[in-house]
Amino acid sequence: QQQVKQSPQSLIVQKGGISIINCAYENTAFDYFPWYQQFPGKGPALLIAIRPDVSEKKEGRFTISFNKSAKQFSLHIMDSQPGDSATYFCAASGFGNEKLTFGTGTRLTIIP
Amino acid sequence: KAGVTQTPRYLIKTRGQQVTLSCSPISGHRSVSWYQQTPGQGLQFLFEYFSETQRNKGNFPGRFSGRQFSNSRSEMNVSTLELGDSALYLCASSPSGETQYFGPGTRLLVL
């Protein structure tokens, strides 16, 4: 049972544009939603995370938008750069539970 | 602080063999989790240890096991390897909450 659905599977964005990746979850017990960035041959790196008590969190060019009623959250990358080309994973976990349930990943390519 | 380290980085085994992977968490982190990453199944949770005790376990067969030592270092073992066990095995450490920091992984190839 896939509990976190992620889309799109792949995304091509022009340099300077906005990259948007969406995730939806089913388990209402989830209360922590991180995004990870993974480059080939590397482990996932924590990018930004949000809890359901806020609707938006911004760190630099990265913003998470969270819609609790719709059980959806998304990652926005502003002013996308070629160095942002990587695979992005959304994830979710419940209170006091270290287990992360991951989305299927989005391969982002930023073209000049 | 040094990040999560995993050894070995690459491993080739044959079917039926067993393998042990090692993980050293970030200094001060007491929780260590293991994940399997494959192209087909994505990132899947294996188990999590905190203060030498397994707190959570994913849906993997009993061939997959782990342990944590008093210095928080962790090992995972896979016995009777199958071709489908070929994957990137990732270790993540956490101080105690949800924020998890991943290591570079061990890439296991089973022939």
Side-chain angles (χ1 to χ4, degrees):
Chain A
Q1 180 188 5
Q2 183 186 1
Q3 296 190 49
V4 179
K5 294 183 179 181
Q6 184 172 346
S7 63
Q9 191 172 5
S10 63
L11 181 63
I12 299 174
V13 175
Q14 273 202 309
K15 179 183 174 181
I18 303 174
S19 304
I20 302 174
I21 304 171
N22 301 298
C23 283
Y25 63 98
E26 301 166 2
N27 189 343
T28 55
F30 287 151
D31 71 344
Y32 175 72
F33 303 88
W35 284 88
Y36 284 86
Q37 177 191 57
Q38 186 175 30
F39 292 105
K42 306 287 186 182
L46 179 65
L47 207 53
I48 187 173
I50 198 169
R51 293 189 183 278
D53 52 350
V54 297
S55 61
E56 185 174 285
K57 183 175 181 181
K58 184 177 181 179
E59 289 184 4
R61 296 185 294 109
F62 301 93
T63 300
I64 299 180
S65 297
F66 188 86
N67 186 329
K68 187 174 181 179
S69 61
K71 293 187 285 185
Q72 295 176 346
F73 59 110
S74 60
L75 175 70
H76 292 64
I77 306 175
M78 314 299 287
D79 187 28
S80 299
Q81 299 296 313
D84 297 330
S85 297
T87 300
Y88 292 80
F89 293 92
C90 62
S93 66
F95 178 75
N97 188 338
E98 301 284 341
K99 171 186 174 181
L100 283 171
T101 300
F102 282 89
T104 49
T106 296
R107 181 172 291 185
L108 174 65
T109 303
I110 308 301
I111 56 175
Chain B
K1 275 187 180 178
V4 177
T5 58
Q6 292 187 244
T7 57
R9 292 293 313 279
Y10 304 93
L11 208 49
I12 300 176
K13 292 286 188 179
T14 56
R15 278 182 301 173
Q17 287 186 310
Q18 74 165 17
V19 66
T20 299
L21 312 181
S22 181
C23 171
S24 292
I26 293 171
S27 177
H29 287 192
R30 297 168 65 188
S31 169
V32 173
S33 299
W34 289 88
Y35 292 82
Q36 181 195 65
Q37 185 175 25
T38 60
Q41 299 298 316
L43 280 150
Q44 293 189 291
F45 173 79
L46 280 156
F47 28 67
E48 182 247 343
Y49 287 87
F50 183 86
S51 293
E52 303 179 65
T53 301
Q54 187 180 88
R55 285 204 300 197
N56 282 296
K57 189 177 188 304
N59 297 322
F60 279 82
R63 300 185 298 106
F64 292 82
S65 62
R67 60 178 175 169
Q68 186 180 34
F69 302 95
S70 58
N71 61 358
S72 294
R73 192 177 68 85
S74 178
E75 289 181 347
M76 69 162 281
N77 183 277
V78 187
S79 62
T80 319
L81 284 165
E82 300 177 359
L83 295 179
D85 297 333
S86 294
L88 181 67
Y89 289 89
L90 293 158
C91 168
S93 77
S94 171
S96 62
E98 306 96 339
T99 305
Q100 295 186 38
Y101 301 90
F102 283 83
T106 294
R107 186 163 296 280
L108 172 64
L109 177 61
V110 181
L111 302 176

